[in-house]
Amino acid sequence: MPSVHSSPFYHMENSAILNFLRHSHTPGQKRSSKSSSGGLLKMFKLFPMLTSGCKMVALLGRPRKPLLKDNATTGTIFGYRKGRVSLAIQEDPHCMPLFVIELPMHSSVFHKEMASDIVRIALESETKTNKKKLLEEFVWAVYCNGRKVGYSIRRKQMSEDELHVMQTLRGVSMGAGVLPSPSEKEYASDGELTYIRARFERVVGSKDSEALYMINPDGAAGPELSIFIVRAH
């Protein structure tokens, strides 16, 4: 495995995320070189909003144990083309999200990252107390593919646009595309409202760390989207 200095996660300010990510690798595990024609992220390559991006080296593996799809967590990343993207995590697509946060990333930047085979989002809380549950923390440092992109605050209440997305996608378990805008004014100024929704395997490492690994629809190896949530000590 390459040295830490060659890893895209080397520039993270806190070692908690790096240590947690290292634990997701299984020694001796090799990533398949065959691409999956049915991978959910490949659907984005059909949309003109994407541009080609550099391929990242697969430095980290993901658990290969059987996926309990009936108990999978639902994750949705959405936003206007000219605005920022938001992340919503739900235990059930028919229920209100247990975690909603607007990421400090414009949609165009996020879409470029999606053009690569590996997308890893890391959220790090620097809160020193353990009085709250992990997903109840408010202030988060946000990283995308090892680069710090800024800070975000967890939503106490969803905005009208976020409620619109959740209500529109109530019957959708996975997919990607464009949603109707709640108002013509926002559509004209911010562009189309795009989304990707998928089911994730949720792995809880401890009360201070957990990860979400996207489950490809066909179960085959393909593009990977992972979300790591960590509370530093």
Side-chain angles (χ1 to χ4, degrees), residues 102-117:
E102 183 183 70
L103 303 177
M105 296 179 60
H106 282 89
S107 295
S108 59
V109 175
F110 179 73
H111 293 157
K112 288 179 181 179
E113 297 289 350
M114 294 289 287
S116 67
D117 282 342

Side-chain angles (χ1 to χ4, degrees), residues 99 101 123-125 134 137-142 150-152 229-230:
F99 184 85
I101 191 171
L123 306 177
E124 179 189 25
S125 171
L134 180 60
E137 297 291 354
F138 283 105
V139 182
W140 298 88
V142 181
Y151 287 87
S152 290
I229 306 173
V230 177

Side-chain angles (χ1 to χ4, degrees), residues 16-123:
I17 295 179
L18 180 59
N19 292 334
F20 182 61
L21 295 181
R22 279 175 171 171
H23 293 162
S24 68
H25 175 73
T26 302
Q29 187 180 74
K30 295 183 178 179
R31 176 179 171 85
S32 172
S33 61
K34 296 181 179 180
S35 62
S36 169
S37 60
L40 182 59
L41 294 185
K42 287 188 179 295
M43 294 176 63
F44 272 82
K45 294 184 179 181
L46 301 177
F47 292 90
M49 62 185 173
L50 294 183
T51 59
S52 59
C54 297
K55 302 291 184 180
M56 284 189 61
V57 178
L59 297 178
L60 302 171
R62 57 165 295 176
R64 297 300 181 186
K65 63 183 180 180
L67 302 177
L68 303 178
K69 296 187 179 182
D70 291 340
N71 299 324
T73 298
T74 298
T76 310
I77 298 178
F78 59 95
Y80 289 98
R81 286 182 187 265
K82 299 178 182 179
R84 296 183 176 183
V85 293
S86 296
L87 166 67
I89 299 174
Q90 298 166 275
E91 292 183 344
D92 187 301
H94 298 90
C95 300
M96 295 297 289
L98 54 87
F99 184 85
V100 179
I101 191 171
E102 183 183 70
L103 303 177
M105 296 179 60
H106 282 89
S107 295
S108 59
V109 175
F110 179 73
H111 293 157
K112 288 179 181 179
E113 297 289 350
M114 294 289 287
S116 67
D117 282 342
I118 300 177
V119 179
R120 300 189 188 278
I121 297 173
L123 306 177

Side-chain angles (χ1 to χ4, degrees), residues 31 55 75 88 131 166 217 224:
R31 176 179 171 85
K55 302 291 184 180
K131 293 182 179 180
M166 293 296 102
E224 296 181 7

